[in-house]
Amino acid sequence: MSSTKSVRVENLEPEVEEFLLKQFPGQPDGYAYFGEHKYVHPKAYKDHVEGIYNMPLRKDDIWVATFPRSGTTWAQELTWLVSNNLDYEGAAKSLSKRFVFIEFPSYFPKELVNKPIFGHEDIGILMDFKALASEPSPRFIKTHLPMSLLSPQLLDTSRVVYVARDPRDVAISYYHLSKLRKIFEFSGDFKTYWRIFLNNLVISAPYFEHLKEAWKQRKHPNMLFLFYEEMYKDLPGVVRRVAKFFEKKYSDAQIRKLCEHLDIDNMRKNKSVNPDLNSTIDTEGAESFIRKGKAGGWREYFDEGMAAEAEKWMRDNLSGTDLRFPEVGSA
């Protein structure tokens, strides 16, 4: 089609490729850079990048977009329930079936695509963007892709909830996920992982470019930009903002019930959003997909030197912008 647009794709530098293959052996085919900001994704994403970038959109599509480990699951459950008139019975169905994780198939061998990934048909299907075309409306779509790798018409067509989180907490959570998931198989310590994160070599990095792309579009009427720290400090207030965004009205009692449902301890016990670990995608003996859910928990991991390094990195990358992360103390 003449209207189809292309995304820039480049191979990694040989020494970087060799380094990442050693650190993350769960992707034996390696990685590539995508887009002008050189976002890191598995090489298999080459088979998906054009299809996702040019995919047909619908007016009633609802997207939840984040950098990995930024409160995605929390925002998905909140978004789905607010949009579906607080249908808790419907929310008992697996979140991985209620939302399509659009680029997730590029993390796996092709033979697993469009097949159950959690061992049970009623829990999750590894569905690619082509299968999404036959999904009934409204479609709920999850992504860790930056705005520049999604359709340029996305915000003019569909609604997007974007969630950002302090990168220090993101790094810790991503580190634990990288030890949990077989698609990473990271076995190093946190200091090693932090160096990789800081150098924008984890999947979906560069981190700040990802956030700044969404931040620049935060005033678009179809974009709701949230901070994880806001959800942590004032969940009822965020619920009201989400309800307003989707043109829904709920009573104080309904909002209290939803906040109780979304409490991190209840989320951790909820099998529809936090399924049991299984041998298909998880490392034996690893911890839960939903962990502590803290804001400010990075203080338990960073020594004085790492903390100073992180502050400078954040300050340098936020220079010239008005993007700032809400303070949450030492919770």
Side-chain angles (χ1 to χ4, degrees):
M1 292 172 55
S2 58
S3 60
T4 298
K5 296 183 180 179
S6 296
V7 175
R8 183 176 176 180
V9 181
E10 300 176 62
N11 291 326
L12 271 62
E13 300 83 356
E15 65 276 12
V16 174
E17 178 87 31
E18 182 181 1
F19 173 76
L20 287 184
L21 287 172
K22 286 182 180 177
Q23 297 295 331
F24 301 102
Q27 290 292 333
D29 292 333
Y31 302 83
Y33 294 128
F34 295 85
E36 296 303 314
H37 293 303
K38 294 188 174 182
Y39 289 101
V40 176
H41 284 280
K43 249 178 209 170
Y45 188 59
K46 290 180 179 182
D47 296 333
H48 302 255
V49 59
E50 301 293 345
I52 290 176
Y53 188 77
N54 293 286
M55 67 176 279
L57 302 169
R58 301 177 192 168
K59 287 286 186 183
D60 56 359
D61 286 342
I62 293 173
W63 294 66
V64 169
T66 70
F67 190 89
R69 309 310 285 174
S70 298
T72 322
T73 301
W74 208 8
Q76 285 176 264
E77 186 74 349
L78 166 56
T79 296
W80 194 92
L81 280 163
V82 166
S83 303
N84 285 280
N85 302 314
L86 307 182
D87 178 12
Y88 293 101
E89 184 176 341
K93 184 178 180 181
S94 170
L95 189 63
S96 63
K97 287 204 74 176
R98 287 180 276 141
F99 271 83
V100 174
F101 187 177
I102 194 168
E103 73 272 18
F104 201 40
S106 67
Y107 297 172
F108 291 88
K110 289 182 180 179
E111 58 267 21
L112 283 182
V113 175
N114 297 327
K115 292 185 179 180
I117 57 171
F118 295 110
H120 302 282
E121 290 244 7
D122 61 339
I123 295 182
I125 301 292
L126 196 61
M127 183 184 295
D128 66 10
F129 66 92
K130 296 174 186 175
L132 185 63
S134 61
E135 283 291 284
S137 293
R139 301 182 301 185
F140 288 82
I141 304 168
K142 162 189 171 179
T143 187
H144 294 316
L145 295 171
M147 299 302 292
S148 61
L149 294 185
L150 299 172
S151 170
Q153 285 76 48
L154 177 58
L155 286 178
D156 290 333
T157 309
S158 311
R159 282 190 270 201
V160 178
V161 176
Y162 186 96
V163 187
R165 187 183 188 185
D166 187 307
R168 295 165 291 192
D169 283 330
V170 169
I172 292 163
S173 186
Y174 211 170
Y175 160 69
H176 284 281
L177 182 73
S178 297
K179 295 174 80 69
L180 166 67
R181 287 285 189 253
K182 288 182 178 180
I183 57 175
F184 300 106
E185 290 189 10
F186 182 74
S187 60
D189 58 16
F190 177 66
K191 277 198 172 184
T192 301
Y193 188 86
W194 172 242
R195 302 306 317 163
I196 299 169
F197 189 92
L198 201 64
N199 284 285
N200 291 318
L201 291 176
V202 296
I203 289 178
S204 297
Y207 171 84
F208 276 108
E209 295 300 336
H210 198 296
L211 263 63
K212 287 189 281 191
E213 284 188 16
W215 183 252
K216 287 177 184 176
Q217 301 185 72
R218 71 192 183 281
K219 294 181 181 178
H220 193 290
N222 278 344
M223 164 76 84
L224 179 62
F225 192 106
L226 302 173
F227 286 99
Y228 184 96
E229 291 76 16
E230 294 173 323
M231 298 174 69
Y232 186 82
K233 288 198 302 181
D234 182 19
L235 187 56
V238 171
V239 169
R240 291 186 177 92
R241 286 178 61 193
V242 173
K244 182 178 180 182
F245 181 64
F246 289 109
E247 301 169 335
K248 302 284 186 179
K249 290 187 178 181
Y250 297 115
S251 67
D252 290 344
Q254 287 175 312
I255 290 173
R256 280 195 299 273
K257 181 180 178 181
L258 178 55
C259 289
E260 182 179 351
H261 176 84
L262 294 169
D263 178 84
I264 195 67
D265 289 331
N266 291 331
M267 289 281 286
R268 198 178 294 112
K269 291 181 277 189
N270 184 347
K271 298 302 181 186
S272 71
V273 300
N274 191 33
D276 291 328
L277 303 184
N278 70 94
S279 59
T280 306
I281 61 173
D282 297 311
T283 302
E284 185 177 353
E287 56 194 9
S288 169
F289 177 75
I290 295 179
R291 293 183 57 254
K292 297 180 180 180
K294 277 189 173 185
W298 61 268
R299 293 176 177 85
E300 300 171 11
Y301 284 74
F302 282 67
D303 60 30
E304 188 174 327
M306 293 169 69
E309 180 180 50
E311 285 184 18
K312 182 181 185 304
W313 178 64
M314 293 170 67
R315 186 169 58 249
D316 290 348
N317 279 279
L318 293 175
S319 177
T321 79
D322 56 357
L323 171 58
R324 299 293 183 271
F325 297 96
E327 293 290 334
V328 292
S330 56

